[in-house]
Amino acid sequence: MEASSRLQHNGTLKLHFRHDGRRCILNDVYQTPPLKVMRPLYINQNDTQEAEVILVDTSGGLLPGNHNRFEITLDSGAHVALRPQAATLIHPSFDGSVSKQDIVIELKE
């Protein structure tokens, strides 16, 4: 199968975190399959303000020809732990298709 005829699953995940005076909250989310984010958990006993979120790739990994983009913004005072659901699999390409993954993190003052 040619790379151009393959169904592509290019995912985007944009997350914006801010501190609301009590703890870090996930203020805004934009997600397109196969990327998703789970709701924040507050499980760090050493930092009860820290939000822990699990980043999910429902396709089971980066497939040939796909492009995933993560954009994460943290406002001042936001404490976040980002966790993938498992190790990110990068599947082999047998037709020369190139896979890409971009991660952009913006830290405000």
Side-chain angles (χ1 to χ4, degrees):
M1 179 180 286
E2 291 182 31
S4 60
S5 65
R6 176 179 308 149
L7 180 63
Q8 292 191 339
H9 298 282
N10 298 326
T12 300
L13 186 58
K14 295 180 183 181
L15 308 175
H16 177 219
F17 295 91
R18 70 176 178 84
H19 195 275
D20 72 352
R22 284 186 321 121
R23 62 186 185 181
C24 178
I25 62 169
L26 182 53
N27 189 60
D28 193 26
V29 175
Y30 174 80
Q31 54 193 13
T32 62
L35 301 180
K36 292 178 59 173
V37 66
M38 303 301 287
R39 67 177 179 81
L41 302 173
Y42 300 91
I43 57 177
N44 184 344
Q45 296 177 357
N46 296 320
D47 185 355
T48 57
Q49 297 181 19
E50 178 185 79
E52 181 168 322
V53 295
I54 299 173
L55 307 175
V56 178
D57 183 342
T58 60
S59 70
L62 195 55
L63 299 169
N66 289 355
H67 181 191
N68 287 342
R69 182 168 178 86
F70 297 86
E71 295 180 23
I72 299 144
T73 302
L74 283 80
D75 286 351
S76 179
H79 295 200
V80 179
L82 302 171
R83 310 261 188 244
Q85 85 244 28
T88 300
L89 294 176
I90 301 174
H91 296 277
S93 175
F94 299 107
D95 63 2
S97 298
V98 176
S99 302
K100 288 177 58 176
Q101 180 166 288
D102 300 322
I103 301 172
V104 178
I105 300 173
E106 180 182 359
L107 303 174
K108 304 262 177 130
E109 286 186 42

XYZ file of all heavy atoms in Angstrom:
857
model
N 0.853 -1.178 0.000
C 0.000 0.000 0.000
C 0.897 1.239 0.000
O 1.822 1.343 0.781
C -0.886 -0.015 1.245
C -1.783 1.195 1.344
S -2.840 1.189 2.824
C -4.019 -0.041 2.361
N 0.618 2.176 -0.873
C 1.402 3.399 -0.943
C 1.094 4.292 0.244
O -0.018 4.309 0.756
C 1.071 4.162 -2.228
C 1.556 3.454 -3.477
C 1.252 4.271 -4.702
O 1.246 5.510 -4.598
O 1.010 3.671 -5.748
N 2.105 5.078 0.659
C 1.946 5.967 1.808
C 0.816 6.963 1.580
O 0.078 7.295 2.493
C 3.245 6.705 2.106
N 0.650 7.439 0.350
C -0.366 8.452 0.069
C -1.786 7.895 0.160
O -2.727 8.642 0.353
C -0.133 9.074 -1.306
O -0.208 8.066 -2.298
N -1.959 6.572 -0.001
C -3.293 5.991 0.051
C -3.659 5.496 1.448
O -4.773 5.042 1.666
C -3.398 4.836 -0.949
O -2.523 3.796 -0.567
N -2.745 5.561 2.381
C -2.982 5.094 3.741
C -3.758 6.145 4.543
O -3.495 7.333 4.446
C -1.653 4.815 4.437
C -1.830 4.410 5.877
C -0.535 4.122 6.559
N 0.188 3.167 5.737
C 1.493 3.127 5.657
N 2.226 3.929 6.350
N 2.081 2.250 4.881
N -4.704 5.673 5.341
C -5.431 6.546 6.245
C -4.477 7.030 7.329
O -3.831 6.220 7.982
C -6.605 5.800 6.875
C -7.460 6.581 7.854
C -8.143 7.751 7.154
C -8.493 5.665 8.483
N -4.366 8.324 7.479
C -3.463 8.876 8.493
C -4.236 9.317 9.711
O -5.376 9.766 9.611
C -2.666 10.041 7.923
C -1.686 9.594 6.862
C -0.726 10.697 6.488
O -0.981 11.864 6.701
N 0.387 10.314 5.904
N -3.600 9.162 10.848
C -4.187 9.566 12.115
C -3.247 10.567 12.756
O -2.412 10.216 13.578
C -4.390 8.353 13.027
C -5.319 7.340 12.459
N -6.684 7.489 12.479
C -5.081 6.173 11.822
C -7.243 6.455 11.899
N -6.297 5.643 11.487
N -3.365 11.825 12.358
C -2.523 12.879 12.896
C -3.222 13.481 14.103
O -4.305 14.035 13.991
C -2.259 13.942 11.839
C -1.507 13.360 10.640
O -0.686 12.473 10.797
N -1.802 13.852 9.471
N -2.605 13.336 15.261
C -3.234 13.779 16.497
C -2.677 15.094 16.990
O -1.506 15.408 16.790
N -3.536 15.848 17.663
C -3.144 17.096 18.307
C -3.678 17.086 19.729
O -4.824 16.710 19.962
C -3.724 18.321 17.571
O -3.244 18.318 16.224
C -3.327 19.616 18.244
N -2.829 17.510 20.651
C -3.243 17.640 22.042
C -2.692 18.954 22.569
O -1.473 19.142 22.634
C -2.724 16.464 22.876
C -3.191 16.380 24.315
C -4.712 16.318 24.402
C -2.570 15.179 24.999
N -3.604 19.898 22.858
C -3.221 21.193 23.415
C -3.783 21.287 24.822
O -5.000 21.147 25.016
C -3.774 22.335 22.559
C -3.205 22.394 21.167
C -3.792 23.553 20.385
C -3.269 23.564 18.965
N -3.815 24.704 18.195
N -2.902 21.511 25.786
C -3.294 21.578 27.194
C -2.832 22.895 27.788
O -1.695 23.329 27.546
C -2.657 20.430 27.978
C -2.846 19.022 27.426
C -2.056 18.028 28.260
C -4.314 18.663 27.399
N -3.706 23.515 28.572
C -3.360 24.759 29.265
C -3.652 24.568 30.748
O -4.792 24.271 31.125
C -4.173 25.927 28.703
C -3.927 27.216 29.415
N -4.913 28.119 29.682
C -2.788 27.741 29.932
C -4.407 29.150 30.329
N -3.117 28.941 30.491
N -2.610 24.731 31.559
C -2.734 24.572 33.010
C -2.564 25.913 33.695
O -1.749 26.736 33.275
C -1.659 23.618 33.545
C -1.791 22.210 33.047
C -1.139 21.798 31.903
C -2.570 21.295 33.736
C -1.248 20.495 31.440
C -2.697 19.989 33.280
C -2.042 19.595 32.134
N -3.325 26.115 34.770
C -3.167 27.316 35.592
C -3.400 26.945 37.047
O -3.972 25.905 37.357
C -4.112 28.426 35.145
C -5.566 28.185 35.422
C -6.423 29.394 35.016
N -7.819 29.141 35.237
C -8.449 29.309 36.408
N -7.784 29.737 37.457
N -9.733 29.032 36.530
N -2.955 27.820 37.918
C -3.163 27.624 39.356
C -4.367 28.459 39.758
O -4.435 29.642 39.446
C -1.915 28.050 40.132
C -1.917 27.561 41.534
N -2.550 28.240 42.547
C -1.384 26.454 42.089
C -2.400 27.576 43.668
N -1.691 26.479 43.422
N -5.339 27.840 40.427
C -6.577 28.561 40.777
C -6.578 29.095 42.210
O -7.619 29.502 42.720
C -7.804 27.667 40.545
C -7.952 26.549 41.569
O -7.023 26.359 42.393
O -8.985 25.871 41.545
N -5.416 29.086 42.865
C -5.338 29.544 44.250
C -5.286 28.396 45.241
O -4.817 28.553 46.361
N -5.787 27.224 44.821
C -5.746 26.017 45.663
C -4.821 24.962 45.088
O -4.084 24.315 45.796
C -7.145 25.393 45.801
C -8.091 26.096 46.719
C -9.404 25.320 46.912
N -9.901 24.679 45.702
C -10.111 23.371 45.581
N -9.881 22.555 46.568
N -10.576 22.879 44.448
N -4.928 24.781 43.767
C -4.152 23.741 43.109
C -4.086 24.026 41.612
O -4.761 24.924 41.095
C -4.772 22.367 43.360
C -6.177 22.226 42.817
C -6.788 20.910 43.213
N -8.087 20.756 42.593
C -8.865 19.718 42.779
N -8.482 18.748 43.580
N -10.027 19.622 42.187
N -3.307 23.220 40.929
C -3.171 23.345 39.481
C -4.385 22.690 38.822
O -4.775 21.582 39.183
C -1.889 22.660 39.036
S -1.635 22.694 37.264
N -4.972 23.391 37.869
C -6.117 22.831 37.154
C -5.834 22.815 35.650
O -5.047 23.611 35.141
C -7.431 23.589 37.437
C -7.340 25.032 36.970
C -7.794 23.508 38.904
C -8.668 25.756 36.972
N -6.481 21.885 34.972
C -6.432 21.823 33.520
C -7.487 22.793 33.014
O -8.677 22.516 33.045
C -6.690 20.394 33.039
C -6.639 20.120 31.550
C -5.346 20.616 30.928
C -6.829 18.639 31.293
N -7.040 23.958 32.594
C -7.919 25.074 32.268
C -8.583 24.940 30.899
O -9.720 25.331 30.714
C -7.113 26.375 32.336
C -7.960 27.603 32.239
O -8.826 27.805 33.076
N -7.716 28.423 31.239
N -7.846 24.376 29.937
C -8.381 24.279 28.582
C -7.750 23.073 27.883
O -6.570 22.791 28.086
C -8.065 25.564 27.804
C -8.838 25.679 26.502
O -9.930 25.083 26.396
O -8.342 26.350 25.583
N -8.552 22.383 27.077
C -8.092 21.192 26.357
C -8.606 21.245 24.927
O -9.769 21.560 24.687
C -8.631 19.892 27.011
C -8.233 18.675 26.180
C -8.180 19.754 28.426
N -7.722 20.920 23.989
C -8.115 20.671 22.608
C -7.456 19.358 22.220
O -6.234 19.211 22.360
C -7.644 21.799 21.686
C -7.906 21.514 20.225
C -9.177 21.713 19.684
C -6.902 21.029 19.396
C -9.428 21.438 18.352
C -7.148 20.755 18.061
C -8.404 20.957 17.549
O -8.659 20.688 16.225
N -8.238 18.383 21.786
C -7.671 17.084 21.452
C -8.327 16.519 20.197
O -9.532 16.650 20.014
C -7.801 16.105 22.613
C -9.203 15.926 23.144
C -9.228 15.188 24.482
O -8.220 15.007 25.127
N -10.405 14.758 24.880
N -7.490 15.945 19.341
C -7.992 15.242 18.170
C -7.385 13.841 18.186
O -6.229 13.656 18.573
C -7.632 15.951 16.850
O -6.214 16.012 16.708
C -8.224 17.352 16.797
N -8.169 12.840 17.780
C -7.685 11.466 17.806
C -6.427 11.312 16.949
O -6.297 11.993 15.941
C -8.839 10.664 17.209
C -10.034 11.529 17.357
C -9.535 12.947 17.296
N -5.538 10.451 17.363
C -5.698 9.471 18.425
C -5.228 9.955 19.801
O -5.149 9.160 20.725
C -4.823 8.313 17.935
C -3.693 9.000 17.240
C -4.320 10.193 16.560
N -4.932 11.245 19.957
C -4.423 11.742 21.243
C -5.565 12.182 22.147
O -6.530 12.806 21.698
C -3.444 12.897 21.026
C -2.222 12.573 20.180
C -1.340 13.803 20.042
C -1.453 11.405 20.748
N -5.423 11.843 23.431
C -6.401 12.220 24.453
C -5.658 12.502 25.751
O -4.518 12.100 25.924
C -7.385 11.079 24.727
C -8.340 10.749 23.617
C -9.225 9.581 23.973
C -10.017 9.884 25.224
N -11.017 8.885 25.562
N -6.349 13.140 26.672
C -5.811 13.352 28.012
C -6.861 12.903 29.020
O -8.057 13.085 28.809
C -5.397 14.827 28.240
C -6.601 15.756 28.218
C -4.633 14.986 29.536
N -6.405 12.291 30.092
C -7.308 11.887 31.171
C -7.467 13.075 32.129
O -6.637 13.983 32.152
C -6.738 10.684 31.921
C -6.454 9.483 31.023
S -7.883 8.840 30.146
C -8.742 8.066 31.473
N -8.499 13.038 32.933
C -8.719 14.133 33.886
C -7.583 14.166 34.908
O -6.975 13.137 35.219
C -10.058 13.977 34.591
C -10.134 12.789 35.505
C -11.480 12.746 36.244
N -11.555 11.591 37.095
C -11.004 11.516 38.316
N -10.347 12.533 38.802
N -11.111 10.419 39.036
N -7.274 15.352 35.440
C -6.173 15.464 36.406
C -6.446 14.683 37.693
O -7.579 14.624 38.167
C -6.105 16.961 36.711
C -6.789 17.621 35.572
C -7.837 16.659 35.108
N -5.389 14.107 38.219
C -5.414 13.446 39.519
C -4.512 14.237 40.460
O -3.549 14.862 40.016
C -4.916 12.009 39.401
C -5.668 11.105 38.426
C -4.946 9.767 38.288
C -7.099 10.908 38.888
N -4.827 14.188 41.736
C -4.033 14.892 42.746
C -3.558 13.851 43.749
O -4.169 13.676 44.807
C -4.860 16.014 43.379
C -5.307 17.014 42.337
C -6.527 16.876 41.682
C -4.481 18.056 41.960
C -6.912 17.764 40.687
C -4.856 18.952 40.971
C -6.077 18.795 40.338
O -6.444 19.670 39.351
N -2.478 13.159 43.393
C -2.042 12.014 44.178
C -0.656 12.184 44.792
O -0.210 11.328 45.539
C -2.077 10.732 43.325
C -1.210 10.880 42.083
C -3.511 10.384 42.936
C -1.136 9.639 41.220
N 0.020 13.287 44.495
C 1.358 13.521 45.027
C 1.230 14.034 46.460
O 0.843 15.177 46.682
C 2.114 14.525 44.161
C 3.543 14.731 44.609
O 3.932 14.366 45.721
N 4.338 15.340 43.743
N 1.554 13.211 47.415
C 1.437 13.593 48.827
C 2.440 14.669 49.214
O 2.224 15.391 50.185
C 1.583 12.367 49.715
C 0.465 11.375 49.506
C 0.640 10.115 50.347
O 1.617 9.953 51.056
N -0.319 9.214 50.247
N 3.525 14.807 48.459
C 4.526 15.834 48.748
C 4.185 17.183 48.118
O 4.779 18.200 48.474
C 5.910 15.386 48.274
C 6.381 14.161 49.027
O 6.177 14.047 50.235
N 6.980 13.228 48.317
N 3.275 17.194 47.162
C 2.838 18.433 46.501
C 1.365 18.276 46.138
O 1.026 17.858 45.030
C 3.683 18.712 45.260
C 3.359 20.047 44.596
O 2.406 20.736 45.033
O 4.056 20.410 43.637
N 0.486 18.593 47.065
C -0.952 18.387 46.870
C -1.546 19.339 45.828
O -2.691 19.166 45.431
C -1.706 18.538 48.196
O -1.435 19.838 48.739
C -1.280 17.471 49.197
N -0.779 20.330 45.385
C -1.253 21.246 44.348
C -0.934 20.738 42.943
O -1.453 21.251 41.961
C -0.631 22.628 44.545
C -1.036 23.273 45.857
C -0.429 24.644 46.012
O -0.006 25.274 45.051
N -0.392 25.145 47.235
N -0.090 19.721 42.854
C 0.342 19.207 41.557
C -0.765 18.390 40.887
O -1.363 17.512 41.494
C 1.566 18.319 41.739
C 2.060 17.705 40.433
C 3.187 16.735 40.671
O 2.912 15.585 41.082
O 4.341 17.129 40.449
N -0.996 18.695 39.614
C -1.934 17.909 38.805
C -1.140 16.858 38.048
O -0.130 17.166 37.421
C -2.668 18.807 37.821
N -1.594 15.621 38.122
C -0.979 14.562 37.326
C -1.976 14.169 36.249
O -3.123 13.850 36.552
C -0.637 13.350 38.185
C 0.013 12.256 37.377
C 0.625 11.163 38.220
O 1.201 11.467 39.271
O 0.513 9.999 37.800
N -1.527 14.221 34.996
C -2.400 13.857 33.893
C -1.730 12.775 33.056
O -0.508 12.761 32.886
C -2.795 15.058 33.000
C -3.635 16.057 33.762
C -1.590 15.736 32.414
N -2.546 11.877 32.553
C -2.062 10.786 31.719
C -2.369 11.123 30.266
O -3.512 11.416 29.909
C -2.710 9.449 32.130
C -2.331 9.147 33.585
C -2.285 8.330 31.188
C -3.038 7.963 34.173
N -1.327 11.104 29.450
C -1.453 11.359 28.019
C -1.694 10.021 27.331
O -0.948 9.066 27.536
C -0.174 12.003 27.490
C 0.301 13.253 28.239
C 1.641 13.714 27.696
C -0.730 14.353 28.178
N -2.730 9.948 26.501
C -3.147 8.688 25.897
C -3.054 8.783 24.374
O -3.485 9.767 23.779
C -4.600 8.334 26.313
C -5.065 7.056 25.649
C -4.712 8.253 27.828
N -2.488 7.739 23.773
C -2.485 7.589 22.316
C -3.309 6.346 22.015
O -2.858 5.220 22.233
C -1.054 7.439 21.798
C -0.982 7.349 20.284
O -2.013 7.060 19.638
O 0.110 7.551 19.748
N -4.533 6.528 21.542
C -5.450 5.404 21.343
C -5.063 4.515 20.166
O -5.622 3.437 20.013
C -6.898 5.901 21.150
O -6.954 6.755 20.005
C -7.386 6.646 22.378
N -4.100 4.945 19.352
C -3.684 4.108 18.224
C -2.643 3.080 18.627
O -2.266 2.243 17.818
C -3.131 4.980 17.087
O -1.892 5.547 17.469
N -2.146 3.149 19.833
C -1.157 2.173 20.291
C 0.268 2.516 19.913
O 1.161 1.706 20.051
N 0.495 3.718 19.447
C 1.853 4.137 19.108
C 1.878 5.002 17.871
O 0.853 5.258 17.246
N 3.055 5.460 17.534
C 3.238 6.319 16.367
C 3.374 5.429 15.130
O 4.314 4.643 14.999
C 4.482 7.185 16.562
C 4.657 8.373 15.648
C 3.435 9.300 15.691
C 5.906 9.153 16.029
N 2.399 5.542 14.245
C 2.343 4.695 13.049
C 3.022 5.390 11.869
O 3.127 6.623 11.841
C 0.894 4.374 12.714
C 0.140 3.610 13.811
C -1.343 3.565 13.512
C 0.707 2.214 13.964
N 3.479 4.626 10.888
C 4.162 5.220 9.736
C 3.315 6.293 9.052
O 2.139 6.089 8.781
C 4.377 4.024 8.798
C 4.390 2.838 9.695
C 3.422 3.169 10.797
N 3.944 7.439 8.802
C 3.273 8.537 8.106
C 2.465 9.452 9.002
O 1.961 10.473 8.549
N 2.333 9.124 10.275
C 1.526 9.948 11.178
C 2.358 11.047 11.827
O 3.571 10.955 11.944
C 0.884 9.084 12.259
C -0.210 8.202 11.712
O -0.564 8.298 10.540
N -0.728 7.338 12.539
N 1.652 12.083 12.272
C 2.289 13.230 12.926
C 1.461 13.584 14.157
O 0.297 13.959 14.037
C 2.340 14.413 11.959
C 2.994 15.626 12.529
N 2.935 16.846 11.914
C 3.721 15.819 13.651
C 3.589 17.738 12.641
N 4.071 17.122 13.702
N 2.060 13.442 15.324
C 1.409 13.837 16.574
C 2.054 15.107 17.093
O 3.274 15.269 17.021
C 1.540 12.740 17.635
C 0.656 11.552 17.351
O -0.297 11.647 16.569
N 0.949 10.435 17.966
N 1.216 15.994 17.615
C 1.718 17.270 18.138
C 1.126 17.513 19.519
O -0.101 17.483 19.691
C 1.362 18.415 17.204
C 1.911 19.751 17.679
C 1.798 20.817 16.608
N 2.276 22.092 17.077
C 3.542 22.494 17.054
N 4.463 21.694 16.571
N 3.879 23.685 17.501
N 1.997 17.749 20.496
C 1.615 18.093 21.858
C 2.005 19.544 22.100
O 3.157 19.918 21.868
C 2.358 17.216 22.874
C 2.040 15.753 22.774
C 2.716 14.933 21.894
C 1.073 15.195 23.597
C 2.437 13.579 21.805
C 0.789 13.832 23.529
C 1.472 13.031 22.625
N 1.060 20.349 22.558
C 1.335 21.745 22.933
C 0.842 21.928 24.355
O -0.357 21.798 24.623
C 0.635 22.718 21.994
C 1.136 22.660 20.564
C 0.423 23.640 19.656
O -0.133 24.651 20.157
O 0.409 23.396 18.436
N 1.759 22.236 25.270
C 1.430 22.329 26.687
C 1.851 23.700 27.189
O 3.006 24.108 27.006
C 2.129 21.207 27.473
C 1.641 19.842 26.943
C 1.868 21.339 28.962
C 2.652 18.793 26.914
N 0.910 24.405 27.812
C 1.179 25.727 28.381
C 0.934 25.673 29.872
O -0.128 25.208 30.306
C 0.278 26.801 27.738
O 0.495 26.805 26.323
C 0.572 28.178 28.301
N 1.904 26.157 30.641
C 1.765 26.235 32.098
C 1.873 27.690 32.520
O 2.883 28.340 32.262
C 2.865 25.437 32.806
C 2.698 23.925 32.820
C 3.116 23.321 31.520
C 3.487 23.346 33.960
N 0.807 28.187 33.152
C 0.836 29.530 33.709
C 1.675 29.529 34.985
O 2.014 28.483 35.533
C -0.581 30.018 34.025
C -1.358 30.390 32.772
O -0.761 30.436 31.679
O -2.574 30.639 32.891
N 1.954 30.704 35.479
C 2.731 30.866 36.705
C 2.089 30.091 37.859
O 0.881 30.154 38.056
C 2.807 32.351 37.061
O 3.529 32.529 38.249
N 2.893 29.330 38.578
C 2.411 28.582 39.738
C 1.826 27.222 39.435
O 1.451 26.496 40.347
N 1.744 26.855 38.175
C 1.163 25.561 37.809
C 2.201 24.455 37.994
O 3.315 24.561 37.490
C 0.667 25.585 36.363
N 1.822 23.416 38.716
C 2.674 22.245 38.929
C 1.993 21.061 38.255
O 0.872 20.716 38.617
C 2.816 21.930 40.415
C 3.514 22.985 41.191
N 4.083 22.740 42.403
C 3.734 24.301 40.947
C 4.619 23.850 42.869
N 4.408 24.803 42.004
N 2.692 20.441 37.294
C 2.088 19.370 36.505
C 3.073 18.209 36.350
O 4.264 18.423 36.146
C 1.696 19.871 35.097
C 1.098 18.758 34.267
C 0.748 21.038 35.185
N 2.547 16.998 36.433
C 3.296 15.795 36.076
C 2.588 15.186 34.878
O 1.413 14.831 34.972
C 3.343 14.819 37.244
N 3.267 15.106 33.757
C 2.707 14.528 32.534
C 3.206 13.096 32.411
O 4.407 12.846 32.465
C 3.146 15.332 31.307
C 2.770 16.811 31.308
C 3.443 17.518 30.147
C 1.266 16.976 31.250
N 2.288 12.162 32.243
C 2.649 10.749 32.172
C 2.021 10.113 30.929
O 0.811 10.213 30.729
C 2.120 9.995 33.393
C 2.455 10.622 34.708
C 3.629 9.957 35.345
N 3.798 10.470 36.695
C 4.852 11.153 37.081
N 5.805 11.412 36.235
N 4.968 11.579 38.321
N 2.823 9.446 30.097
C 2.218 8.658 29.021
C 1.599 7.399 29.620
O 1.977 6.972 30.714
C 3.407 8.318 28.121
C 4.585 8.363 29.030
C 4.269 9.386 30.094
N 0.615 6.820 28.937
C -0.028 5.618 29.478
C 0.933 4.446 29.508
O 0.754 3.514 30.264
C -1.299 5.265 28.703
C -1.054 4.437 27.459
C -1.437 5.134 26.197
O -1.421 6.342 26.112
N -1.788 4.360 25.180
N 1.949 4.458 28.672
C 2.979 3.411 28.619
C 4.107 3.961 27.763
O 4.064 5.113 27.320
C 2.400 2.139 28.018
N 5.073 3.130 27.495
C 6.148 3.552 26.604
C 5.560 3.847 25.224
O 4.646 3.168 24.773
C 7.201 2.458 26.495
N 6.058 4.880 24.583
C 5.570 5.227 23.253
C 6.196 4.284 22.228
O 7.412 4.234 22.077
C 5.924 6.680 22.900
O 5.326 7.545 23.862
C 5.425 7.047 21.518
N 5.347 3.543 21.557
C 5.821 2.647 20.504
C 5.956 3.424 19.198
O 5.081 4.209 18.843
C 4.837 1.504 20.293
C 4.670 0.520 21.442
C 3.579 -0.490 21.110
C 5.975 -0.196 21.723
N 7.047 3.199 18.516
C 7.231 3.766 17.184
C 7.276 2.570 16.235
O 8.215 1.784 16.245
C 8.508 4.612 17.095
C 8.437 5.758 18.116
C 8.688 5.144 15.679
C 9.688 6.569 18.231
N 6.210 2.442 15.452
C 6.072 1.286 14.571
C 6.957 1.439 13.331
O 7.112 2.543 12.814
C 4.612 1.098 14.180
C 3.730 0.781 15.353
N 3.607 -0.493 15.847
C 2.978 1.569 16.148
C 2.798 -0.480 16.892
N 2.405 0.754 17.095
N 7.510 0.353 12.841
C 8.399 0.422 11.670
C 7.635 0.812 10.410
O 6.454 0.511 10.257
C 8.956 -0.998 11.555
C 8.011 -1.865 12.293
C 7.360 -1.012 13.348
N 8.349 1.493 9.547
C 7.793 1.888 8.255
C 8.456 1.031 7.182
O 9.669 1.044 7.038
C 8.058 3.362 7.993
O 7.630 3.710 6.696
N 7.630 0.313 6.436
C 8.161 -0.548 5.390
C 8.042 0.078 4.007
O 8.455 -0.515 3.016
C 7.451 -1.903 5.422
C 7.643 -2.622 6.730
C 6.601 -2.726 7.633
C 8.880 -3.156 7.061
C 6.785 -3.374 8.850
C 9.073 -3.800 8.267
C 8.023 -3.919 9.166
N 7.451 1.288 3.938
C 7.277 1.928 2.636
C 7.941 3.308 2.576
O 7.688 4.069 1.661
C 5.791 2.055 2.296
C 5.035 2.942 3.274
O 5.656 3.504 4.202
O 3.806 3.078 3.114
N 8.763 3.632 3.570
C 9.460 4.916 3.570
C 8.675 6.060 4.174
O 9.140 7.196 4.172
N 7.472 5.797 4.693
C 6.679 6.860 5.328
C 7.405 7.373 6.570
O 7.968 6.598 7.337
C 5.311 6.335 5.742
O 4.592 5.910 4.618
N 7.381 8.669 6.770
C 8.060 9.301 7.902
C 7.036 9.632 8.977
O 5.979 10.200 8.694
C 8.786 10.587 7.449
C 9.405 11.305 8.631
C 9.841 10.255 6.404
N 7.348 9.273 10.203
C 6.511 9.615 11.350
C 7.142 10.783 12.084
O 8.367 10.901 12.131
C 6.398 8.433 12.309
O 5.876 7.318 11.641
N 6.296 11.640 12.675
C 6.809 12.786 13.423
C 6.033 12.938 14.720
O 4.838 12.638 14.774
C 6.644 14.082 12.613
C 7.575 14.209 11.446
C 7.323 15.471 10.642
C 7.459 16.706 11.491
N 7.304 17.955 10.740
N 6.729 13.427 15.725
C 6.071 13.793 16.978
C 6.727 15.067 17.477
O 7.943 15.116 17.640
C 6.202 12.686 18.018
C 5.532 13.033 19.330
C 5.373 11.836 20.221
O 4.550 10.981 19.944
N 6.153 11.768 21.271
N 5.932 16.098 17.683
C 6.417 17.378 18.189
C 5.877 17.581 19.597
O 4.697 17.300 19.854
C 5.925 18.546 17.319
C 6.395 18.449 15.881
O 7.547 18.028 15.662
O 5.610 18.800 14.981
N 6.729 18.070 20.471
C 6.317 18.422 21.832
C 6.785 19.845 22.089
O 7.989 20.121 22.068
C 6.915 17.454 22.867
C 6.486 16.021 22.572
C 6.499 17.874 24.278
C 7.168 14.977 23.422
N 5.815 20.740 22.314
C 6.104 22.148 22.580
C 5.574 22.476 23.965
O 4.378 22.276 24.247
C 5.433 23.069 21.535
C 5.702 24.523 21.837
C 5.896 22.696 20.124
N 6.460 22.952 24.848
C 6.053 23.301 26.205
C 6.371 24.771 26.429
O 7.515 25.206 26.242
C 6.775 22.428 27.247
C 6.433 20.958 27.010
C 6.381 22.857 28.660
C 7.200 19.995 27.865
N 5.351 25.534 26.824
C 5.519 26.948 27.122
C 5.350 27.160 28.613
O 4.288 26.824 29.174
C 4.485 27.792 26.366
C 4.609 29.262 26.644
C 3.560 30.106 25.931
O 2.733 29.546 25.196
O 3.564 31.325 26.160
N 6.385 27.685 29.258
C 6.341 27.987 30.687
C 6.227 29.492 30.868
O 7.114 30.236 30.462
C 7.611 27.482 31.383
C 7.911 25.993 31.240
C 9.267 25.678 31.842
C 6.826 25.181 31.897
N 5.135 29.922 31.490
C 4.963 31.348 31.759
C 5.736 31.684 33.035
O 6.229 30.813 33.728
C 3.480 31.669 31.917
C 2.627 31.247 30.722
C 2.361 32.382 29.811
C 1.581 31.904 28.606
N 0.426 32.652 28.295
N 5.811 32.969 33.368
C 6.553 33.390 34.564
C 6.115 32.642 35.789
O 4.968 32.387 36.006
C 6.375 34.883 34.796
C 7.158 35.735 33.834
C 7.060 37.202 34.197
O 7.132 37.542 35.383
O 6.904 37.993 33.279
